[in-house]
Amino acid sequence: MRIFLPPTSPGLRVGLFGGSFNPPHEGHRLVAQTALRRLGLDQVWWVVTPGNPLKSNSELPSQADRIALVRDLVGADRRMVVTGIEARIGTRYTEQTIRFLRSRLPQVNFVWLMGADNLADFHRWKNWENIAGLVPMAIIDRPGSTLKAASSPAARMLARFRIDESDGRILPRLAAPRWLFLHGKRSPQSSTVLREKAQARH
């Protein structure tokens, strides 16, 4: 099966923002916008996953529905590229997805993006150390997660590779493992709360 990837050019700076986005919300968009601005990215690819291996997916809306919601959220911003590539290439884990993209697009400077709430659990991800060694990472602050993320097992183990957030624009050009923690405007919205509110209405 032929895999169609977003168009790229040598040296393009792309943030990879993966998640189930169930549902996507303003906090997600703020993470992407912060990364675009502070890291000098050309694009953010929203990698809408078929399902989270660490969670029950029995009530997860279809990937197509979630992709449509993300597209509605980001609107006409051409720098936001929404993709369901993991379903097409058959990957379940972030490490597999990143390896595939790096092998197909070696000329692109990829950065892995995630909210601070995910860094707190990053050590539970499959082969998380390999992920950190494949691409530089940018952690974007989220309400209630700042201290938990900063003291997490992954943050402690990767501490010597952390750079200052003021050097964000050089991060996409750095060899992994390198990472930083971006502070700034935060949205209180969360997918969990939005799902609970939706369930309460039914």
Side-chain angles (χ1 to χ4, degrees):
M1 179 177 65
R2 187 176 180 186
I3 304 298
F4 293 94
L5 296 173
T8 61
S9 58
L12 198 72
R13 299 149 69 103
V14 174
L16 298 173
F17 188 22
S20 52
F21 302 112
N22 178 33
H25 54 72
E26 180 60 29
H28 292 133
R29 184 167 63 177
L30 191 56
V31 165
Q33 290 173 335
T34 299
L36 276 168
R37 184 179 71 255
R38 300 276 298 276
L39 306 180
L41 300 178
D42 299 299
Q43 296 176 349
V44 169
W45 292 3
W46 296 61
V47 183
V48 183
T49 66
N52 186 333
L54 295 177
K55 298 179 181 179
S56 171
N57 299 301
S58 60
E59 298 183 6
L60 186 68
S62 73
Q63 186 187 44
D65 286 346
R66 288 177 286 120
I67 286 175
L69 289 173
V70 173
R71 286 182 172 146
D72 286 343
L73 178 71
V74 301
D77 191 339
R78 289 178 171 268
R79 300 171 302 170
M80 304 286 194
V81 179
V82 185
T83 173
I85 187 176
E86 287 188 327
R88 295 191 63 81
I89 64 179
T91 58
R92 290 191 64 225
Y93 299 104
T94 297
E95 180 198 11
Q96 298 171 322
T97 304
I98 293 174
R99 287 191 185 280
F100 175 89
L101 290 173
R102 288 195 63 202
S103 67
R104 289 293 187 95
L105 303 169
Q107 78 280 13
V108 174
N109 296 315
F110 287 113
V111 177
W112 182 255
L113 310 176
M114 62 181 171
D117 48 335
N118 282 316
L119 179 61
D121 293 323
F122 190 43
H123 61 285
R124 297 177 58 213
W125 293 25
K126 184 177 177 64
N127 297 334
W128 68 270
E129 302 99 326
N130 292 345
I131 298 171
L134 285 169
V135 288
M137 302 190 306
I139 314 304
I140 295 85
D141 200 12
R142 292 278 293 138
S145 300
T146 309
L147 296 178
K148 186 178 179 182
S151 61
S152 66
R156 292 198 303 269
M157 291 187 66
L158 296 171
R160 68 185 185 278
F161 302 114
R162 182 176 176 178
I163 68 172
D164 191 85
E165 62 182 306
S166 63
D167 293 324
R169 286 183 171 267
I170 70 171
L171 181 70
R173 300 197 305 270
L174 297 180
R178 286 290 187 277
W179 67 287
L180 52 70
F181 197 118
L182 295 176
H183 300 83
K185 183 180 178 182
R186 302 179 300 179
S187 168
Q189 289 193 347
S190 80
S191 293
T192 301
V193 171
L194 291 173
R195 288 195 303 272
E196 289 173 350
K197 288 182 177 180
Q199 291 170 358
R201 290 194 296 268
H202 292 86

